[in-house]
Structures are given as structure tokens and as C-alpha cells.
Amino acid sequence: MKIYASFQMIRLDPITKEEEVLYEEFIKRMEPYRKREIEYMIFYQIEITKPEYKYAHEIAKKYEMTDQEFEEWMENTEVGTYIPGISVYESELIRVKYEKKDYERAVSYKINFLQGGYFYVEDERTDYIKPCCKQASWEFDTCLYQGQELILTSEVEKKSYARLPIGYGVSEEVKKLLLEYGADEEDFTEIKNKQGKVVFYQLTPKNVITGFSSDNDISVEDECSHCGQKRYGDKEKTKPYYMSESTLRQLTMLNRTEEMSGLELEPWYIVNKETYLLLKKHYKRMQFEPIFLKEN
């Protein structure tokens, strides 16, 4: 497991002599980690165990820009209001890269399909979601959940699996494979196009597991005071997911957690090791995130 941080060096002339020296030193030391350059911005990605990460992190603290300040700066720049000088921005987004040995050591896997399947252009995401109850009352933002079956374009038929606007889905071929090895029809919900033709299947596992949030120290962020629906947060970005023996024993082929997260409430979708190996055998590029055994 390797953890990467992202930096952006922003230069807008004229800059001072001191800034010029710092700029030249920074781009020289960080050259091995350069990803791309766009006009006045250079993007870097570096593993946090590298000594240059600490160097870049300290520079970014000195020339710090919050996410809000960065957004405002970008808006001003787009309309031509340039602020001279250099800025080093460290993104809050952390990238975790798992290695082959991590996947081999894992005891279960979170579904993490990346390629998308889409609604019709004239449809909106909001057409498919609704509040948790008629008198929803949340302390912060109102949380929503899927309130009706999805309708997708026939383009999704070209895919074997996809991250849907809400949840995940698979093709007829993948569904048949999973059914052959023990999945249940109830684990899938048909997705049709506007002509009523079935074009894909949403994963709707009937097996609901408990304990995943406590396995990962994930706390409740908000709760509807009327119906009691909870919204959970997520794990720390630099930590992997874990699963205790008691949670692991609850797994079948396809599973979803009792806990829900996000403003559009969704569970975590998890497969056991046998299902992971089966799917990776037939679909080598299918994406998952490993979950490790939690030691007592």
C-alpha cells in the first residue's frame, strides 16, 4: 500500500528574486514527481514516505492556500485578475495505491467500479432521488436516497460493469456468471431504457451486513430527527478498510452494509474473496478496493 499526495506549483510573473530562487529549487527537487504542466501551473504527485514530500509539505505550509482561497484564485484568474507571485498548493485529496500483495492479503473487497453509465441528457439526477421521509429534518444538509428505478441509455449495454449515477451495475453476462456461482436474483434490479428494454442490472444485494462502521471507526455525521436515518462519514484517507471476523462471517457473494454514507445515501458494496477471484478471472480490469482483516 502506497500513499500519494498531490502538489501544484503556481507561478505568475513578475515574481521577486527570493521567489525565483525558491521556484527554481522546488522544480529541481520535485522534477522526478512531475505529472504535467498547464501554462503557469505544474502538477506533482509524490509518495508521502519520500523525503521530498516533507520538503514540499513545508513549502506548501509557508505558501499555503486553502481550498476556498484556491477556488477564489482560480475564479479571478479565469476573468484575467492575476495576482503576481508563486503559490504551492497541497491538495487535500490523498491517493492510495494498493499493490498485488495487498489484494492477495485482503479478506474481502469493496466494489469500486470507475467507468460510468449515464442518464439520458434531458434527465437529471434529482429525478431519481428523494428525502428519507416526508418530514426529513437533518442538522446539516438534507440527505437523499434512491427513490425509483433507474432509466439509462442503451450506451450502457457496451459495458460489462459500471459506476452508475447511483450505485453500481453489471451486464447480463456478468449477472449470469454470478448467478451460476451462487448469487440470487434478488441481488440484481433491472435497468431499462426509455423504450422499456432491459439494458443493465443494478447491484442491489439482499444480504445486509452490520459492524462495518465500527470495524473502521467510522462515526455518524448526521441523523434525521424524524425517522432516525443516519449518515455515516468515512475512514481516514490514509488508512485502508478493515473487517473483523464477526463481520467477515456475515458475507455472502454480494453484500451491502447497513450503514449509509454520503449526501445521496448509499451503503458500501462488498464482495467476499471467492467472488472477487471469480470476477477478476473473467474481468481483469474490474476495480475493487481491498479490505483487510482487523486484528483484535
Side-chain angles (χ1 to χ4, degrees):
M1 173 180 168
K2 295 181 179 180
I3 303 170
Y4 294 84
S6 297
F7 293 89
Q8 296 173 27
M9 164 60 82
I10 302 168
R11 172 177 176 156
L12 289 172
D13 293 326
I15 63 176
T16 66
K17 290 184 178 179
E18 179 185 354
E19 289 173 331
E20 181 70 46
V21 171
L22 176 62
Y23 176 80
E24 293 297 332
E25 179 188 5
F26 188 91
I27 63 173
K28 182 178 180 180
R29 290 191 62 172
M30 296 293 288
E31 179 60 30
Y33 313 106
R34 180 194 291 238
K35 300 299 290 184
R36 68 187 189 281
E37 183 174 351
I38 302 175
E39 296 182 355
Y40 46 82
M41 291 192 290
I42 307 176
F43 297 82
Y44 301 90
Q45 190 173 90
I46 181 171
E47 191 179 351
I48 65 173
T49 57
K50 301 288 185 182
E52 287 82 3
Y53 166 74
K54 185 176 181 180
Y55 162 75
H57 179 72
E58 292 301 319
I59 296 295
K61 283 188 357 185
K62 184 177 179 181
Y63 293 85
E64 189 172 24
M65 202 187 289
T66 65
D67 283 345
Q68 183 176 350
E69 288 172 338
F70 180 73
E71 289 176 8
E72 292 174 355
W73 182 88
M74 287 295 292
E75 289 174 2
N76 288 331
T77 300
E78 286 174 3
V79 297
T81 310
Y82 295 98
I83 304 172
I86 65 169
S87 296
V88 180
Y89 171 71
E90 181 176 2
S91 173
E92 291 185 0
L93 296 175
I94 298 293
R95 177 173 178 258
V96 178
K97 183 178 180 181
Y98 293 99
E99 301 174 283
K100 182 180 178 181
K101 61 183 179 182
D102 295 318
Y103 285 94
E104 292 173 347
R105 184 167 64 89
V107 295
S108 58
Y109 305 82
K110 184 175 80 72
I111 295 175
N112 195 32
F113 303 162
L114 299 180
Q115 55 183 332
Y118 306 103
F119 293 137
Y120 286 86
V121 174
E122 64 269 24
D123 286 4
E124 296 184 10
R125 191 185 189 95
T126 52
D127 294 339
Y128 298 89
I129 54 178
K130 65 179 184 180
C132 55
C133 62
K134 291 183 179 180
Q135 300 180 47
S137 178
W138 298 79
E139 181 177 354
F140 302 109
D141 295 316
T142 297
C143 292
L144 306 165
Y145 74 101
Q146 183 179 344
Q148 66 180 58
E149 293 182 359
L150 304 181
I151 300 175
L152 300 182
T153 70
S154 296
E155 284 292 309
V156 77
E157 289 185 286
K158 298 176 182 178
K159 305 175 186 293
S160 296
Y161 50 91
R163 170 64 170 151
L164 304 178
I166 304 170
Y168 297 94
V170 296
S171 66
E172 174 79 25
E173 180 184 74
V174 176
K175 178 193 173 189
K176 286 181 177 179
L177 176 67
L178 291 168
L179 289 174
E180 180 183 348
Y181 282 84
D184 194 284
E185 282 284 353
E186 293 180 40
D187 293 327
F188 309 91
T189 297
E190 292 180 349
I191 299 175
K192 299 177 180 178
N193 63 14
K194 286 191 173 179
Q195 290 70 47
K197 176 187 175 184
V198 176
V199 292
F200 220 54
Y201 295 88
Q202 186 173 8
L203 292 178
T204 51
K206 68 174 185 178
N207 190 49
V208 180
I209 64 172
T210 60
F212 189 69
S213 60
S214 58
D215 288 346
N216 293 279
D217 299 320
I218 298 172
S219 59
V220 175
E221 287 188 337
D222 203 353
E223 181 176 352
C224 175
S225 61
H226 184 256
C227 70
Q229 174 65 57
K230 296 179 174 62
R231 183 186 81 231
Y232 286 78
D234 204 348
K235 66 177 178 61
E236 292 184 28
K237 295 177 182 177
T238 56
K239 291 183 178 180
Y241 284 105
Y242 289 97
M243 182 171 285
S244 63
E245 287 279 7
S246 60
T247 308
L248 187 62
R249 285 194 293 270
Q250 299 175 48
L251 296 186
T252 58
M253 288 191 72
L254 300 170
N255 313 269
R256 57 186 170 92
T257 61
E258 179 183 56
E259 304 93 334
M260 310 272 277
S261 67
L263 290 180
E264 292 177 8
L265 293 165
E266 290 187 37
W268 285 270
Y269 295 92
I270 296 170
V271 300
N272 61 17
K273 196 175 189 79
E274 293 76 16
T275 306
Y276 165 78
L277 293 173
L278 171 68
L279 290 170
K280 291 296 283 186
K281 178 181 178 181
H282 292 83
Y283 306 95
K284 297 187 184 302
R285 295 188 177 183
M286 192 176 274
Q287 301 96 358
F288 298 89
E289 185 170 347
I291 302 173
F292 303 102
L293 183 65
K294 184 176 184 179
E295 306 292 346
N296 294 328

